[in-house]
Amino acid sequence: MEKNSNCNWVCIDFGTCNTTAAIQIDGKPHVVTYGNTQFFPTIACVLPNREIQVCQNAEPLRQKMPESFKQEFKLNIADQIDLNGVQYVDIIREILKFVKGCAQIENNNQVCDAVILTIPAIYTESDRRIDVMRQAASEAGFRDIEFLSESQAAAQHYAYISGTKNTGISLIYDLGGGTFDPALLDMSNAKEPKLIGNESGVKCGGQFFDAAIYKYIFNEFQKTERPLSREDRLDDYAACRRLKEALSIHEKASQFFSNGQTFTLGRETFNGLILDKIALTLKACDSTIQTAGSKWTDIRQILFVGGSTAIPLIREMLERHLISHNAQNVKIIRNETGTKGAYDHNFATCLGGISSKIIPPPPPPEPIAKIYSNGVTYQLKEGNNTFGRSDDMDFQFNDPAMSRKHFVIAVTKDAYGKWSYTLTTCSETKATILNNMEPLDLQNYPISRKSALLQDGWTIRAGRTTFQFKK
């Protein structure tokens, strides 16, 4: 992607359940926060006066105005809706404006006027949903708008932090809140990962795991005298989500539910509830790899993307799957420290997108070379540097065997900031000797060259004085 140094870029990963964003600060990727959280709920509530509340501001209205509340609409934004006269493009505009405002605050109140929007790899250039997002971004105040596939962005994040030039073929295991989107990328050129296979829209993710827990616990409480009330389902769903997160660490976890009762769930039971869903992700990976004409053994690493990859069962089933395909040497990466920080599975997409806009700082100016002779250092300058016995030479030497003006070194800089050094002999009677073997002579050897482009470490002899050229 072309880098525009005149813009302040923000990368926004517009997700099914949560949206994340990243900017660059001091030349490094930085996740945008709101308060104490790094996630923006992808939700909206449209008030009767057409005012749109989004993200954290919409949360309190989830139960108060359920008929005007929208969530999990990422894949449907090209559809027509009738919600108090508001369309999806209006909702997305407000979400992007909300994130844009937070990004600008963290960017020291500098305007973020350019955006990279990450999209599922399955989207084609003619996908209507891209048009909707482009219009919404324009109305949100972005003057430069670019799109990047989510899988390529995640791969670029890994390439950025690892600093490796060739990381081979990588499988992106992207398990979000509502969909699973695997992708296969050739990262032989780490700066430009090449998409070679993908699938999208597999119905699996955090919300399905929460729903499976809720259904199980709801049925269990139905057998008691204190069943759960459907009116309190949102609160109970939140308790189920906390159970899920705790079971990524502990074998058992307990939560308090709306009926006043505590429920304890074991990891083994939880695994049984989601086993079929995880199997769908492995099937989708098989299809992605096969369609691309590859094999599991061709893959060098699997990059986990998304918070749901914390569930231990996912790694366990994937490891068994790799063994069954004789690919047990494939690395599974959820967290890894590289030369430029740590791989972050939660924010790999937005961090990878913004890293594509980070322009490396210019290297320090190349110093001009020096000349050494008899323990003395002579610093060359830009332009002509004259050597000889005469008083008007830049560098004067008391050597009777040296001519009054013996040689000159012209120091010039090219368009890339590189210095070059051209030595030209000036003596009419005495040669200038390079590397003790080649004479540069104006008269005695007509066929010899008079000038030479100096190389690091070369020696120069004028009269009885020997010099060494060092960059």
Side-chain angles (χ1 to χ4, degrees):
M1 252 185 290
E2 183 182 354
K3 300 175 177 62
N4 188 342
S5 58
N6 297 320
C7 297
N8 289 315
W9 289 90
V10 57
C11 179
I12 300 178
D13 176 22
F14 189 84
T16 302
C17 295
N18 289 295
T19 292
T20 60
I23 57 176
Q24 59 166 309
I25 295 180
D26 296 330
K28 297 180 180 179
H30 173 81
V31 176
V32 176
T33 62
Y34 177 79
N36 295 319
T37 181
Q38 295 175 305
F39 294 95
F40 301 89
T42 311
I43 56 175
C45 187
V46 183
L47 306 184
N49 63 357
R50 296 187 63 186
E51 179 184 340
I52 306 171
Q53 294 292 330
V54 298
C55 302
Q56 279 83 350
N57 290 343
E59 282 284 9
L61 304 173
R62 187 190 294 266
Q63 289 181 296
K64 294 179 180 179
M65 304 180 65
E67 71 284 352
S68 301
F69 196 85
K70 280 291 181 181
Q71 63 182 357
E72 298 166 15
F73 50 82
K74 173 181 176 177
L75 299 179
N76 304 318
I77 60 175
D79 298 344
Q80 294 292 316
I81 58 172
D82 184 13
L83 193 59
N84 296 333
V86 166
Q87 295 295 322
Y88 276 127
V89 67
D90 304 308
I91 291 173
I92 298 169
R93 177 194 65 229
E94 294 305 312
I95 292 175
L96 296 183
K97 284 175 64 176
F98 187 92
V99 176
K100 182 175 183 280
C102 294
Q104 291 177 178
I105 291 173
E106 292 205 33
N107 198 30
N108 300 310
N109 289 325
Q110 295 186 53
V111 173
C112 292
D113 50 5
V115 65
I116 306 164
L117 296 170
T118 61
I119 54 176
I122 199 69
Y123 284 13
T124 64
E125 291 184 2
S126 60
D127 196 303
R128 170 66 181 145
R129 289 169 290 193
I130 293 180
D131 295 331
V132 172
M133 295 196 72
R134 181 181 288 108
Q135 180 183 343
S138 178
E139 293 177 2
F142 291 109
R143 64 184 178 91
D144 286 304
I145 304 165
E146 294 182 0
F147 293 91
L148 180 66
S149 79
E150 293 162 353
S151 54
Q152 286 180 304
Q156 285 182 336
H157 171 53
Y158 179 72
Y160 174 82
I161 68 100
S162 64
T164 44
K165 295 181 179 179
N166 182 356
T167 51
I169 294 178
S170 298
L171 174 67
I172 309 298
Y173 188 98
D174 186 356
L175 187 60
T179 59
F180 174 67
D181 303 297
L184 201 62
L185 293 106
D186 183 354
M187 295 176 63
S188 299
N189 181 352
K191 292 183 179 180
E192 296 182 4
K194 180 181 178 183
L195 183 68
I196 56 178
N198 65 274
E199 289 205 9
S200 184
V202 179
K203 299 298 183 183
C204 180
Q207 62 174 313
F208 292 97
F209 304 149
D210 298 343
I213 295 173
Y214 176 81
K215 182 178 179 181
Y216 174 77
I217 294 176
F218 182 89
N219 290 335
E220 290 299 302
F221 276 130
Q222 284 292 97
K223 303 172 185 177
T224 70
E225 296 179 355
R226 303 287 296 272
L228 294 179
S229 170
R230 293 188 182 277
E231 294 181 358
D232 298 316
R233 187 163 75 168
L234 290 177
D235 291 336
D236 290 333
Y237 254 84
C240 292
R241 183 170 60 253
R242 291 192 293 270
L243 278 176
K244 174 191 67 180
E245 293 167 352
L247 288 172
S248 293
I249 305 171
H250 307 290
E251 292 293 331
K252 288 184 178 181
S254 299
Q255 280 292 311
F256 190 77
F257 282 80
S258 61
N259 62 353
Q261 302 295 304
T262 298
F263 194 93
T264 300
L265 185 67
R267 182 184 291 177
E268 185 176 351
T269 301
F270 173 56
N271 288 350
L273 297 175
I274 66 172
L275 189 68
D276 290 344
K277 285 293 184 183
I278 305 304
L280 285 178
T281 71
L282 300 182
K283 185 178 180 181
C285 289
D286 286 337
S287 176
T288 299
I289 294 169
Q290 183 178 4
T291 303
S294 298
K295 304 184 294 296
W296 279 98
T297 50
D298 295 329
I299 298 170
R300 184 174 295 185
Q301 63 267 317
I302 299 170
L303 303 180
F304 274 171
V305 178
S308 293
T309 56
I311 296 172
L313 179 64
I314 294 174
R315 180 179 285 268
E316 292 170 10
M317 291 182 64
L318 189 51
E319 287 176 344
R320 291 197 295 267
H321 199 70
L322 289 171
I323 292 173
S324 70
H325 287 81
N326 197 30
Q328 56 268 29
N329 293 327
V330 176
K331 290 173 60 179
I332 302 175
I333 298 171
R334 189 168 187 267
N335 297 288
E336 183 174 280
T337 301
T339 58
K340 293 184 179 179
Y343 176 77
D344 192 328
H345 60 275
N346 280 317
F347 306 101
T349 304
C350 64
L351 288 172
I354 200 62
S355 69
S356 70
K357 291 298 180 184
I358 293 177
I359 303 174
E366 178 184 318
I368 299 178
K370 297 179 176 66
I371 295 287
Y372 299 88
S373 179
N374 296 323
V376 180
T377 302
Y378 303 95
Q379 176 63 64
L380 298 177
K381 68 180 187 305
E382 186 173 6
N384 290 331
N385 297 262
T386 54
F387 291 75
R389 286 191 297 112
S390 177
D391 292 343
D392 60 352
M393 294 295 100
D394 294 313
F395 302 99
Q396 181 187 9
F397 301 89
N398 186 20
D399 178 358
M402 187 183 292
S403 294
R404 293 179 61 79
K405 183 177 182 180
H406 205 107
F407 65 88
V408 61
I409 298 177
V411 180
T412 57
K413 183 190 288 186
D414 65 17
Y416 301 98
K418 295 291 184 181
W419 296 107
S420 61
Y421 307 86
T422 303
L423 183 149
T424 302
T425 190
C426 301
S427 174
E428 298 289 341
T429 58
K430 299 172 183 177
T432 303
I433 309 298
L434 289 181
N435 296 323
N436 294 319
M437 58 184 297
E438 181 185 0
L440 303 182
D441 198 325
L442 286 175
Q443 286 189 341
N444 297 336
Y445 301 94
I447 63 172
S448 66
R449 57 179 175 162
K450 315 308 177 190
S451 299
L453 194 63
L454 292 176
Q455 304 297 318
D456 188 38
W458 278 17
T459 61
I460 307 162
R461 184 156 54 87
R464 298 191 184 97
T465 306
T466 300
F467 305 90
Q468 187 173 35
F469 173 78
K470 293 291 289 183
K471 289 185 178 181

